[in-house]
Amino acid sequence: MEALKIEDLEQEQCYTIDDIYALPDGQRAELIDGRIYDMAPPNWTHQKTLSFLCNEIYNYIKGNDGKCQVLPAPFAVFLNKDKTNYVEPDISVICDEEKLDEKGCHGAPDWVIEIVSPSSRRMDYYIKLFKYRSAGVREYWIVDPIKQRVTVHHFEKEDGEEYAYGEEVPAGILEGFSVKVQ
């Protein structure tokens, strides 16, 4: 089967996970409600922040005999267990191992963290905010290195909070865990 290019797909209206898997090797994209969103490669600040947060969360869970899994991108999340939604959150924390298999996570992670880049701002603050809430994600963090702010959405409580870099940011799903993003 010949690999598809994003520009080839722009003519169609509704895409599926098969279209994502047909993209050329190395080309990353996400699929939300049948629409493909191309993903730019992450920069150094993004990767440094991702590594720091993954390590902090992993060490806390491991140190407290937790059962949740911390998985950095690229990691497939089949958000609604359907053919028209596929995302790769920067960090996924999944506490129900029944959702995990070799292909990825089937259903909503408990906690998702997205690290904003100039090309992902609209996606992270609006499109994914709505999608994660409606899919059943319990907690969603938007880490914004440019604004030096962390926005935390507790979907179960229907509230949100903002923290400046350097402030302790508590995680609602991991009792006792907080982290200073810098």
Side-chain angles (χ1 to χ4, degrees):
M1 179 175 185
E2 187 176 322
L4 291 175
K5 296 180 184 141
I6 296 267
E7 51 271 14
D8 295 337
L9 298 173
E10 291 174 354
Q11 301 298 321
E12 300 176 30
Q13 289 186 346
C14 188
Y15 308 103
T16 69
I17 291 169
D18 293 337
D19 296 313
I20 292 291
Y21 283 117
L23 293 172
D25 285 346
Q27 186 169 358
R28 290 180 54 211
E30 294 179 304
L31 179 69
I32 296 178
D33 296 329
R35 182 169 177 197
I36 290 182
Y37 295 88
D38 199 18
M39 297 172 67
N43 63 26
W44 180 75
T45 298
H46 181 281
Q47 292 302 93
K48 182 174 71 166
T49 304
L50 178 119
S51 295
F52 168 75
L53 287 169
C54 273
N55 286 333
E56 291 291 307
I57 296 165
Y58 173 82
N59 288 336
Y60 181 82
I61 291 170
K62 184 177 179 184
N64 289 280
D65 296 320
K67 304 296 181 216
C68 299
Q69 300 295 316
V70 182
L71 300 158
F75 182 72
V77 174
F78 305 97
L79 205 51
N80 295 101
K81 299 184 193 177
D82 62 19
K83 294 268 188 201
T84 59
N85 288 282
Y86 167 96
V87 292
E88 293 182 5
D90 289 320
I91 300 173
S92 299
V93 178
I94 299 136
C95 301
D96 179 358
E97 289 196 32
E98 302 260 327
K99 292 182 178 181
L100 297 169
D101 68 15
E102 288 302 312
K103 289 187 175 189
C105 176
H106 301 271
D110 294 275
W111 180 15
V112 169
I113 299 173
E114 294 286 5
I115 301 162
V116 178
S117 63
S119 65
S120 74
R121 183 165 300 286
R122 180 176 173 271
M123 186 77 149
D124 295 337
Y125 276 102
Y126 301 104
I127 296 169
K128 286 186 175 178
L129 171 65
F130 172 77
K131 194 66 194 171
Y132 290 150
R133 177 186 291 138
S134 64
V137 170
R138 294 169 52 203
E139 186 164 339
Y140 175 40
W141 287 19
I142 303 169
V143 178
D144 194 330
I146 294 168
K147 293 183 177 182
Q148 296 199 343
R149 165 178 84 195
V150 179
T151 305
V152 176
H153 295 277
H154 303 281
F155 294 139
E156 293 174 321
K157 297 185 218 169
E158 294 293 326
D159 70 355
E161 301 167 293
E162 287 192 359
Y163 299 87
Y165 270 30
E167 289 184 289
E168 288 285 338
V169 183
I173 71 158
L174 295 179
E175 189 174 327
F177 175 78
S178 66
V179 62
K180 285 184 184 179
V181 180
Q182 306 206 41

